C-alpha cells in the first residue's frame, strides 16, 4: 500500500470512530432528557423504550465500526503469516508456495524464455 492509501484508510477509520462516539454522546444526552421528561410528566417509566431502542442502534453502530477494524487487522495478520510461510498469491486467487516455484525455475533454461 502506498502512503496516500494508508493515510486515506486511517482517516476513514478515525472518521467512523468519531461518528460512533458522537452517536454515543447524543444517546447519553437524550437518555437523560427522556428520564427527566418522564419524571416530570408521568408515573409510568415510558422513557425506557426510546432509551433501549436507541441503545440497540448505538450497539449495532459500535459493532459495525469495531468489527470492520477487527476484520482489517485479522486480514493483515493472515496476509503477513502467509508471506512469512512463503506463499505467493496469483491473480486468480490461487496460492503457490514460493519454494515450489523456485525449484521449477531452476529447471528452466534460457531458451525457454522468448
Amino acid at each position: 500500500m502506498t502512503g496516500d492509501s494508508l493515510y486515506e484508510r486511517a482517516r476513514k477509520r478515525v472518521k467512523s470512530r468519531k461518528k460512533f462516539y458522537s452517536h454515543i454522546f447524543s444517546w447519553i444526552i437524550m437518555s437523560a432528557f427522556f428520564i427527566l421528561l418522564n419524571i416530570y410528566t408521568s408515573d409510568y417509566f415510558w422513557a425506557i423504550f426510546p432509551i433501549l431502542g436507541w441503545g440497540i442502534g448505538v450497539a449495532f453502530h459500535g459493532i459495525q465500526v469495531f468489527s470492520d477494524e477487527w476484520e482489517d487487522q485479522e486480514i493483515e495478520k493472515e496476509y503477513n503469516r502467509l508471506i512469512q510461510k512463503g506463499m505467493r498469491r496469483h491473480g486468480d486467487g490461487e496460492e503457490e508456495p514460493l519454494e515450489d516455484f523456485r525449484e521449477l525455475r531452476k529447471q528452466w533454461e534460457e531458451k525457454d524464455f522468448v
Side-chain angles (χ1 to χ4, degrees), residues 60-74:
F60 279 113
H61 189 176
I63 289 169
Q64 177 201 4
V65 167
F66 293 106
S67 70
D68 287 348
E69 290 182 15
W70 174 84
E71 184 178 0
D72 286 346
Q73 291 171 354
E74 291 301 311

Side-chain angles (χ1 to χ4, degrees), residues 75-93:
I75 289 170
E76 188 174 335
K77 282 183 202 174
E78 184 65 18
Y79 179 78
N80 290 332
R81 188 183 69 77
L82 288 173
I83 286 176
Q84 287 176 352
K85 283 180 70 177
M87 302 295 274
R88 187 181 68 184
R89 202 155 196 43
H90 291 288
D92 60 0

Side-chain angles (χ1 to χ4, degrees), residues 4 7 13 19 28 35 51-52 67 71 73 93 99 103:
D4 290 340
Y7 174 79
R13 280 184 175 182
K19 285 181 182 179
I28 290 170
I35 290 171
I51 291 171
L52 283 178
S67 70
E71 184 178 0
Q73 291 171 354
E99 292 80 25
E103 289 300 317

